[in-house]
Amino acid sequence: MADQTRNSKNLGIRMYEDEHQAMLDTCEALSSPDVKVEASLLLTTAAIEEAARLGFTPSAAGSSVRRRPGTWENDPPPRDESFKRRITITIHPLHFQAIRSAAEWAGVEVPHFLRGSMWRFIANRQRAEPRNTKLRAIEVPAKYRT
């Protein structure tokens, strides 16, 4: 019998209700009859894009960071309420390494980095796809719309 190897990392994420709904709505807005966008793909894509923007990529593993801003401007604002949802997503280990490195650099936990990256990704896609009415209907916090 061949050795079993792991090609994924399961990660639990706690989310606020509006974040969870925005995630579900974005998955629906970006899906088509031929392609279904799921939460794992959405959150991983958003976080790997954000990590790459900060200079952390799966190929560089953080060793060739080009630009490090003073602070991570996509940090979700703190709230007084409790998280309402918990989901589990699957991330490929090569992606997870870059995402974890970027989150550590930003001074936040990986789930927090995923949530902030998701909001930035949604805002960016709204600008890129102004005719996608489902995507445009998602309410993104003001700090991400600029």
Side-chain angles (χ1 to χ4, degrees), residues 62-83:
S63 63
S64 63
V65 176
R66 296 178 308 279
R67 180 178 72 93
R68 290 190 179 196
T71 60
W72 183 50
E73 67 272 7
N74 292 320
D75 190 15
R79 299 186 186 186
D80 291 331
E81 64 187 286
S82 297
F83 291 111

Side-chain angles (χ1 to χ4, degrees), residues 48 51-52 55-66 68 94 97-98 101:
I48 203 70
F56 297 91
T57 65
S59 62
S63 63
S64 63
V65 176
R66 296 178 308 279
R68 290 190 179 196
L94 291 174
Q97 182 179 11
S101 295

Side-chain angles (χ1 to χ4, degrees), residues 12-75:
I13 304 170
R14 293 175 189 251
M15 303 180 95
Y16 296 110
E17 189 63 37
D18 64 324
E19 291 171 333
H20 185 259
Q21 191 60 54
M23 179 192 66
L24 296 176
D25 292 345
T26 302
C27 287
E28 182 181 336
L30 297 179
S31 292
S32 69
D34 299 328
V35 176
K36 182 176 182 346
V37 175
E38 296 180 343
S40 290
L41 177 62
L42 173 67
L43 292 173
T44 300
T45 301
I48 203 70
E49 184 174 288
E50 185 68 10
R53 190 184 68 74
L54 295 173
F56 297 91
T57 65
S59 62
S63 63
S64 63
V65 176
R66 296 178 308 279
R67 180 178 72 93
R68 290 190 179 196
T71 60
W72 183 50
E73 67 272 7
N74 292 320
D75 190 15

